[in-house]
Amino acid sequence: LVGGPAGSMEGARQADLAKQILMAKNVPYFVAAPLLIQDVKSWYQSGIGGLQSVVLYSLPELDGAIDAIPLGGLCCGDREFCNSERDLKSCSREAGEIRLVKDRLNRLTQRVHKWTTLRDKNEAERRVAVVLYGYPPGIGATGTAALLNVPKSLLQLLQRLQMEGYNVGELPSDEEDLLRLCREADEIADTGRAYRNEQYKEGGGGT
């Protein structure tokens, strides 16, 4: 199922086969693995790095995986640092060896439990968030993307969710109205132009 370094370098060569397998299983496909090109210290201090994020998140997501969770990483060899972190204390590994962070196992089991519980909920009870590009905020960039019709795609997605029983409220008649509603919401949100409005801040917004 996995492309890139863990599989064929030829993009989507096994896409049809992967689709067949995932559709036959009809279960969420989780990826949980240690960081193989980053040590735990840099992970804790700076987050997951660029190339490591490609391996852990991007490639599996292209295969249909969800909610990737790192379970550990390379031992940094810094005992003082590890003993200063609750989840890393008493490490017996040598620098460069893979070590497990037990708290991440707890995180994984919690996430799997929540996903499986979600499958038992009616569609109308499920909550779905759509991340819509809008940077820089407050200058009309909401819902824009090069060579893509974002408003039309968003409207079709919402219509499909509505057909499947999700509660999406009253949908506008066309994509331009939908985009207008999104931009109006951005205007009054903490991330939009209102964030720079002093009167809005004094009223408690933007904090």
Side-chain angles (χ1 to χ4, degrees):
L1 293 176
V2 183
S8 169
M9 294 303 291
E10 182 183 344
R13 189 181 74 165
Q14 302 293 342
D16 291 338
L17 178 59
K19 183 178 179 179
Q20 291 177 22
I21 293 173
L22 292 173
M23 290 183 67
K25 293 293 184 182
N26 192 30
V27 293
Y29 168 31
F30 296 94
V31 170
L35 308 180
L36 300 177
I37 55 177
Q38 185 174 357
D39 64 44
V40 173
K41 183 177 181 179
S42 67
W43 169 30
Y44 269 58
Q45 292 182 333
S46 306
I48 295 177
L51 182 57
Q52 181 65 74
S53 68
V54 171
V55 176
L56 180 66
Y57 297 117
S58 302
L59 292 177
E61 285 179 358
L62 290 173
D63 290 327
I66 60 172
D67 216 357
I69 295 178
L71 296 181
L74 299 178
C75 180
C76 62
D78 187 340
R79 294 285 188 267
E80 182 178 353
F81 170 78
C82 289
N83 288 329
S84 69
E85 297 287 338
R86 177 178 60 85
D87 301 326
L88 302 178
K89 287 183 177 180
S90 304
C91 177
S92 59
R93 297 287 183 179
E94 297 297 328
E97 294 182 342
I98 296 175
R99 65 156 300 169
L100 173 71
V101 179
K102 292 184 179 179
D103 178 67
R104 307 303 294 181
L105 283 178
N106 296 332
R107 176 73 61 87
L108 174 63
T109 55
Q110 290 170 4
R111 297 299 298 168
V112 171
H113 175 70
K114 287 183 177 181
W115 277 106
T116 53
T117 301
L118 185 63
R119 288 169 63 87
D120 295 328
K121 282 190 175 183
N122 294 325
E123 283 78 0
E125 297 177 309
R126 299 175 183 175
R127 293 182 296 174
V128 180
V130 178
V131 179
L132 193 63
Y133 182 87
Y135 184 84
I139 63 170
T142 303
T144 59
L147 306 178
L148 297 174
N149 190 335
V150 176
K152 184 175 182 180
S153 297
L154 178 59
L155 182 59
Q156 290 180 348
L157 172 63
L158 293 173
Q159 290 171 339
R160 175 69 180 269
L161 288 172
Q162 189 176 58
M163 290 175 56
E164 294 183 4
Y166 288 84
N167 181 12
V168 298
E170 183 177 351
L171 294 178
S173 57
D174 58 56
E175 58 264 27
E176 292 304 319
D177 281 341
L178 177 60
L179 183 59
R180 176 181 55 78
L181 292 173
C182 291
R183 287 177 174 168
E184 287 177 356
D186 186 47
E187 291 283 339
I188 61 174
D190 287 359
T191 54
R193 286 180 188 165
Y195 185 80
R196 298 194 295 271
N197 185 299
E198 293 302 324
Q199 184 177 1
Y200 176 73
K201 288 184 180 181
E202 290 174 3
T207 57

